[in-house]
Amino acid sequence: EPEVTQTPSHQVTQMGQEVILRCVPISNHLYFYWYRQILGQKVEFLVSFYNNEISEKSEIFDDQFSVERPDGSNFTLKIRSTKLEDSAMYFCASSEALGQGFSPLHFGNGTRLTVT
Amino acid sequence: RKEVEQDPGPFNVPEGATVAFNCTYSNSASQSFFWYRQDCRKEPKLLMSVYSSGNEDGRFTAQLNRASQYISLLIRDSKLSDSATYLCVVNLPGGGADGLTFGKGTHLIIQP
């Protein structure tokens, strides 16, 4: 079964450093997402991406964050200057259609980001 | 009222029992409903979509009650491997997140 893959599985970085989290969505999917989950809290939406541009973003997704699809397969999340509160599990997801339809999200296994 | 609300539990249930939990949602215009399962420190995995007429997948049954704005998940003949957190996901038109909002999850523990 096709799956979403994410690298690295764990990233440790110092406060103020830039990090790039990488994802390879399922190949025939058209919609890509980043979610995050702080330990013990709920899964929170960050951003959705379609047709090479941001479709929607949440309040969490401020100017420190950016996304890119540099080629036909990768989908990246960059955090420019990490803060302690950015420590969380970051999940990439993809879907065949927007969430408004009956198209569920398929998640990657996540990148645990630890900011020290 | 919270957008997507779930009883956090934990629900402690003996193996073989039947367990059910609900999820309420705030937007009457919601059209898409899903149950996901999340194991500790793992990614959410789709358990099942929830259709208007209700649907069943093996030991799992999902129901939708539009009038009262909730969905439910019933697990029959529970197994130890069913221990997990069950996440309710609902589209909330106009609510951002391209509509899909997660509940905090219901923690289920199946005891031998």
Side-chain angles (χ1 to χ4, degrees), chain B residues 17-54:
Chain B
T18 295
V19 60
F21 25 83
N22 292 338
C23 164
T24 57
Y25 58 94
S26 60
N27 192 324
S28 60
S30 296
Q31 294 292 327
S32 303
F33 309 91
F34 308 96
W35 282 104
Y36 279 74
R37 170 200 168 120
Q38 186 175 31
D39 294 291
C40 188
R41 294 181 180 244
K42 299 286 188 183
E43 76 276 20
K45 289 186 178 176
L46 178 68
L47 182 64
M48 56 198 304
S49 303
V50 185
Y51 302 124
S52 296
S53 55

Coordinates of all heavy atoms in Angstrom, one line a residue, chain B residues 17-54:
Chain B
A17 N -15.2 -7.3 25.5 CA -16.4 -6.5 25.7 C -16.6 -5.6 24.5 O -15.8 -5.5 23.6 CB -16.2 -5.6 27.0
T18 N -17.8 -5.0 24.6 CA -18.2 -4.0 23.6 C -18.0 -2.6 24.2 O -18.4 -2.4 25.3 CB -19.6 -4.2 23.1 OG1 -19.7 -5.5 22.4 CG2 -20.1 -3.1 22.2
V19 N -17.5 -1.7 23.4 CA -17.3 -0.3 23.9 C -17.7 0.6 22.8 O -17.6 0.4 21.6 CB -15.8 -0.1 24.3 CG1 -14.9 -0.3 23.1 CG2 -15.7 1.3 24.9
A20 N -18.3 1.8 23.2 CA -18.7 2.8 22.3 C -18.4 4.2 22.8 O -18.4 4.4 24.1 CB -20.2 2.7 22.1
F21 N -18.0 5.0 21.9 CA -17.8 6.4 22.3 C -18.3 7.4 21.2 O -18.3 7.0 20.1 CB -16.4 6.7 22.8 CG -15.3 5.9 22.2 CD1 -14.8 6.1 20.9 CD2 -14.8 4.8 22.9 CE1 -13.8 5.3 20.4 CE2 -13.8 4.0 22.4 CZ -13.3 4.3 21.2
N22 N -18.6 8.5 21.7 CA -19.2 9.5 20.8 C -18.2 10.7 20.6 O -17.3 10.9 21.3 CB -20.5 10.1 21.4 CG -21.6 9.1 21.4 OD1 -21.5 8.1 20.7 ND2 -22.5 9.3 22.3
C23 N -18.6 11.5 19.6 CA -17.9 12.7 19.3 C -18.9 13.7 18.8 O -19.7 13.4 17.9 CB -16.8 12.4 18.1 SG -16.2 13.9 17.3
T24 N -18.9 14.9 19.4 CA -19.9 15.9 19.0 C -19.2 17.0 18.2 O -18.0 17.3 18.4 CB -20.6 16.6 20.2 OG1 -19.6 17.1 21.0 CG2 -21.4 15.6 21.0
Y25 N -19.9 17.6 17.2 CA -19.3 18.6 16.4 C -20.2 19.8 16.4 O -21.4 19.7 16.6 CB -19.0 18.1 15.0 CG -20.2 17.6 14.2 CD1 -20.9 18.4 13.4 CD2 -20.6 16.2 14.4 CE1 -22.0 17.9 12.7 CE2 -21.7 15.7 13.7 CZ -22.4 16.6 12.9 OH -23.5 16.1 12.2
S26 N -19.6 21.0 16.1 CA -20.4 22.2 16.3 C -21.1 22.7 15.1 O -22.0 23.5 15.2 CB -19.4 23.3 16.8 OG -18.4 23.5 15.9
N27 N -20.6 22.3 13.9 CA -21.1 22.9 12.7 C -22.1 22.0 12.0 O -21.7 21.0 11.5 CB -19.9 23.3 11.7 CG -20.3 24.2 10.6 OD1 -21.4 24.1 10.0 ND2 -19.4 25.0 10.2
S28 N -23.3 22.5 11.9 CA -24.4 21.6 11.3 C -24.1 21.4 9.8 O -24.8 20.6 9.2 CB -25.7 22.3 11.5 OG -25.8 23.6 10.9
A29 N -23.3 22.2 9.2 CA -23.0 22.1 7.7 C -21.9 21.1 7.5 O -21.6 20.8 6.3 CB -22.6 23.4 7.1
S30 N -21.3 20.4 8.5 CA -20.3 19.5 8.3 C -20.8 18.3 7.4 O -21.9 17.8 7.5 CB -19.8 18.9 9.6 OG -19.2 19.9 10.4
Q31 N -19.9 17.8 6.5 CA -20.3 16.8 5.6 C -19.3 15.6 5.7 O -19.7 14.5 5.2 CB -20.2 17.4 4.2 CG -21.3 18.4 3.9 CD -22.7 17.9 3.9 OE1 -22.9 16.7 3.5 NE2 -23.6 18.7 4.3
S32 N -18.1 15.7 6.2 CA -17.2 14.6 6.1 C -16.8 14.3 7.6 O -16.5 15.2 8.4 CB -15.9 15.0 5.4 OG -16.2 15.4 4.1
F33 N -16.8 13.0 7.8 CA -16.5 12.5 9.2 C -15.7 11.3 9.1 O -15.9 10.4 8.3 CB -17.9 12.1 9.9 CG -18.9 13.2 9.8 CD1 -19.8 13.2 8.7 CD2 -19.0 14.2 10.8 CE1 -20.8 14.2 8.6 CE2 -19.9 15.2 10.7 CZ -20.8 15.2 9.6
F34 N -14.7 11.2 10.0 CA -13.7 10.1 10.0 C -13.4 9.7 11.4 O -13.4 10.6 12.3 CB -12.4 10.5 9.2 CG -12.6 11.0 7.9 CD1 -12.6 12.4 7.7 CD2 -12.8 10.2 6.8 CE1 -12.8 13.0 6.4 CE2 -12.9 10.8 5.5 CZ -12.9 12.1 5.3
W35 N -13.1 8.5 11.6 CA -12.4 8.0 12.8 C -11.0 7.6 12.5 O -10.8 6.8 11.5 CB -13.2 6.8 13.4 CG -14.4 7.2 14.2 CD1 -15.7 7.0 13.7 CD2 -14.5 7.8 15.5 NE1 -16.6 7.5 14.7 CE2 -15.9 8.0 15.8 CE3 -13.6 8.2 16.4 CZ2 -16.3 8.5 17.0 CZ3 -14.0 8.8 17.6 CH2 -15.4 8.9 17.9
Y36 N -10.1 8.1 13.2 CA -8.7 7.7 13.1 C -8.3 7.0 14.4 O -8.8 7.3 15.5 CB -7.8 8.9 12.9 CG -7.7 9.4 11.4 CD1 -8.8 10.1 10.9 CD2 -6.6 9.2 10.7 CE1 -8.7 10.5 9.6 CE2 -6.5 9.6 9.3 CZ -7.6 10.3 8.8 OH -7.6 10.7 7.5
R37 N -7.3 6.2 14.3 CA -6.7 5.6 15.5 C -5.2 6.1 15.6 O -4.5 6.2 14.6 CB -6.7 4.1 15.3 CG -5.9 3.3 16.3 CD -5.6 1.9 15.8 NE -4.6 1.3 16.7 CZ -4.8 0.2 17.4 NH1 -5.9 -0.5 17.2 NH2 -3.9 -0.2 18.2
Q38 N -4.8 6.4 16.8 CA -3.4 6.8 17.0 C -2.8 6.1 18.2 O -3.4 6.1 19.3 CB -3.3 8.3 17.3 CG -1.9 8.8 17.4 CD -1.8 10.3 17.5 OE1 -2.6 11.0 18.1 NE2 -0.7 10.9 17.0
D39 N -1.8 5.4 17.9 CA -1.0 4.7 19.0 C 0.0 5.7 19.5 O 0.4 6.7 18.9 CB -0.3 3.4 18.4 CG -1.3 2.4 18.0 OD1 -2.0 1.8 18.9 OD2 -1.5 2.2 16.8
C40 N 0.5 5.4 20.7 CA 1.4 6.3 21.4 C 2.5 6.7 20.6 O 3.3 5.9 20.1 CB 1.8 5.7 22.7 SG 2.7 6.8 23.8
R41 N 2.7 8.0 20.4 CA 3.8 8.6 19.6 C 3.9 8.2 18.2 O 5.0 8.2 17.6 CB 5.1 8.3 20.4 CG 5.1 9.0 21.7 CD 6.4 8.8 22.5 NE 6.4 9.5 23.7 CZ 7.2 10.5 24.1 NH1 8.2 10.9 23.2 NH2 7.2 11.0 25.2
K42 N 2.8 7.7 17.6 CA 2.7 7.3 16.2 C 1.8 8.3 15.5 O 1.1 9.1 16.1 CB 2.2 5.9 16.1 CG 3.1 4.9 16.8 CD 4.3 4.6 16.0 CE 5.1 3.4 16.6 NZ 6.4 3.2 16.0
E43 N 1.8 8.1 14.2 CA 0.9 8.9 13.3 C -0.6 8.5 13.4 O -0.8 7.3 13.7 CB 1.4 8.9 11.9 CG 1.0 7.7 11.1 CD 2.0 6.6 11.3 OE1 2.8 6.6 12.2 OE2 2.1 5.7 10.4
P44 N -1.5 9.4 13.2 CA -2.9 8.9 13.1 C -3.1 8.0 11.9 O -2.5 8.3 10.8 CB -3.7 10.2 12.9 CG -2.7 11.3 13.4 CD -1.4 10.8 13.0
K45 N -3.9 7.0 12.0 CA -4.2 6.1 10.9 C -5.7 6.0 10.7 O -6.4 5.9 11.7 CB -3.6 4.7 11.2 CG -2.1 4.6 11.1 CD -1.5 3.2 11.2 CE 0.0 3.2 11.1 NZ 0.6 1.9 11.3
L46 N -6.1 6.1 9.5 CA -7.5 6.1 9.2 C -8.1 4.7 9.6 O -7.6 3.7 9.2 CB -7.7 6.3 7.7 CG -9.2 6.2 7.3 CD1 -10.0 7.4 7.8 CD2 -9.3 6.2 5.7
L47 N -9.1 4.8 10.4 CA -9.8 3.6 10.8 C -11.0 3.4 9.9 O -11.2 2.3 9.3 CB -10.3 3.7 12.3 CG -11.1 2.6 12.9 CD1 -10.1 1.4 13.0 CD2 -11.6 2.9 14.3
M48 N -11.8 4.4 9.8 CA -13.0 4.4 8.9 C -13.6 5.7 8.6 O -13.5 6.6 9.5 CB -14.0 3.4 9.3 CG -14.6 3.6 10.7 SD -15.4 2.2 11.4 CE -16.7 1.8 10.2
S49 N -14.1 5.9 7.4 CA -14.9 7.1 7.2 C -16.3 6.8 7.7 O -16.7 5.6 8.0 CB -15.1 7.3 5.7 OG -13.8 7.5 5.1
V50 N -17.1 7.8 8.0 CA -18.4 7.7 8.5 C -19.4 8.2 7.5 O -19.4 9.3 7.1 CB -18.6 8.4 9.9 CG1 -20.0 8.2 10.5 CG2 -17.5 8.1 10.8
Y51 N -20.3 7.3 7.1 CA -21.3 7.7 6.1 C -22.7 7.9 6.7 O -23.0 7.5 7.8 CB -21.4 6.6 5.0 CG -20.1 6.3 4.4 CD1 -19.5 5.0 4.4 CD2 -19.3 7.3 3.8 CE1 -18.3 4.8 3.7 CE2 -18.1 7.1 3.2 CZ -17.6 5.8 3.2 OH -16.4 5.6 2.6
S52 N -23.5 8.7 6.0 CA -24.8 9.1 6.6 C -25.6 7.9 7.1 O -26.3 8.1 8.1 CB -25.5 9.9 5.5 OG -24.9 11.0 5.1
S53 N -25.5 6.8 6.3 CA -26.4 5.7 6.7 C -25.8 4.8 7.7 O -26.3 3.8 8.1 CB -26.7 4.9 5.4 OG -25.5 4.5 4.8
G54 N -24.6 5.2 8.2 CA -23.8 4.3 9.1 C -23.1 3.3 8.3 O -23.5 2.9 7.2

